[in-house]
Amino acid sequence: MQTRPDQFTGIYSAAASMLSNEGIASFWKGAVPTAGGMVLENCMAFGVNEALKRTFPDNEGGSNEGGPPSLLKPFLMGTITGCFSATVLLPSEVVKAKTQVVVGRPVSSQEIVRQMIKSQGMRSMFVGLDAQLCRDAPFYAFFFGGYDLFVYGFKTYVPTMPEELNYFLSGGLAGMFGWTMAMPFDVPKTNIQSRYDTKVIGSYFPELIKITRERGLAGLYSGLGPTLVRAFPANAALFLGVEMGKKFFDSLLAA
């Protein structure tokens, strides 16, 4: 939908075309680089963000229990986190984008990597670096900033809500919030990373302008619907797992 809007006009037409032409396995195309990239991305993102929170606590005691979260600090920390996360995620994103746009035949990630190296050399693994930074910085700003605000909001206005449910709902909403704000930057990123004629730095903004001129602002939100449907359960489970893991290891180390 993001790279061929004239051919795939909506989620149902895209899904029907994939199913009829490539079979059910096409829905998992690019799963290998995606899974590998997500592990590295989340390790980097949550590690960096937690380190920033401990380095720059909300007050001298290192805690802000009971008080409203800063409206600026978590968003700034999220932006910094996104810049770090982009660097480890970039190669897998490039491979995934090129794998998923191949239509009509099965293709492996190994085949795509060989084609990338043959076409552009090792720099092919880092095309669209500026695009990755422009997408991930705002995403993580609203992802982590939104999460802190949602958690505080549920604790304040729904005090009887179980803590685990708070983490789950806040994580899901933060994921949707982050993707809604980052989507205009993701569409041109996907377009340039799916091709073999783009640069490490310098292809992103011309592509952004081109899409805006040809499709209008709505073109920058192509694919937002399925992205939000995926974002809630994925990030709800992610934050719940992270928070429960932190509690488990904190109690283990304190014992």
Side-chain angles (χ1 to χ4, degrees):
M1 291 172 62
Q2 292 182 339
T3 59
R4 301 180 183 179
D6 53 337
Q7 184 177 351
F8 302 110
T9 57
I11 182 173
Y12 297 111
S13 63
S17 177
M18 290 169 59
L19 191 60
S20 62
N21 294 327
E22 301 177 74
I24 191 70
S26 64
F27 290 100
W28 282 269
K29 187 182 291 183
V32 173
T34 298
M38 286 179 65
V39 172
L40 294 174
E41 175 191 15
N42 287 315
C43 286
M44 177 66 78
F46 283 91
V48 169
N49 195 257
E50 189 64 27
L52 288 171
K53 286 182 176 180
R54 296 186 181 188
T55 304
F56 304 103
D58 287 331
N59 57 43
E60 293 182 356
S63 174
N64 194 34
E65 287 293 330
S70 166
L71 293 179
L72 180 62
K73 188 180 291 185
F75 289 89
L76 289 176
M77 290 182 179
T79 301
I80 297 171
T81 299
C83 294
F84 280 91
S85 177
T87 60
V88 297
L89 181 62
L90 179 57
S92 65
E93 283 284 282
V94 175
V95 176
K96 180 191 74 171
K98 286 178 168 61
T99 302
Q100 291 181 338
V101 296
V102 176
V103 178
R105 66 181 180 89
V107 63
S108 67
S109 298
Q110 291 86 347
E111 181 182 345
I112 293 295
V113 171
R114 286 195 294 269
Q115 189 174 346
M116 288 167 55
I117 300 299
K118 182 179 179 180
S119 175
Q120 294 179 293
M122 284 303 299
R123 71 184 182 91
S124 64
M125 303 296 293
F126 302 96
V127 296
L129 173 61
D130 50 352
Q132 197 73 42
L133 291 168
C134 287
R135 195 280 304 270
D136 285 359
F139 171 77
Y140 278 107
F142 290 98
F143 184 62
F144 283 114
Y147 178 74
D148 285 353
L149 291 178
F150 286 127
V151 167
Y152 173 75
F154 282 126
K155 283 183 177 179
T156 303
Y157 299 106
V158 194
T160 58
M161 177 181 289
E163 200 170 45
E164 295 78 6
L165 181 58
N166 187 346
Y167 296 147
F168 185 84
L169 293 177
S170 296
L173 292 172
M176 296 177 74
F177 188 30
W179 274 111
T180 299
M181 304 308 294
M183 199 67 190
F185 307 101
D186 183 66
V187 174
K189 180 196 82 72
T190 301
N191 275 262
I192 66 170
Q193 289 180 342
S194 65
R195 303 200 306 263
Y196 290 86
D197 61 347
T198 48
K199 306 173 184 176
V200 173
I201 295 176
S203 299
Y204 178 68
F205 289 104
E207 185 70 19
L208 176 65
I209 295 170
K210 177 185 174 185
I211 292 174
T212 305
R213 285 176 176 173
E214 292 180 353
R215 310 184 208 171
L217 291 177
L220 296 176
Y221 287 90
S222 179
L224 178 62
T227 298
L228 294 182
V229 170
R230 178 200 66 185
F232 185 89
N235 291 292
L238 175 63
F239 269 106
L240 177 62
V242 168
E243 294 289 1
M244 293 298 98
K246 283 164 59 177
K247 286 191 173 185
F248 171 77
F249 285 109
D250 284 345
S251 63
L252 191 66
L253 293 173

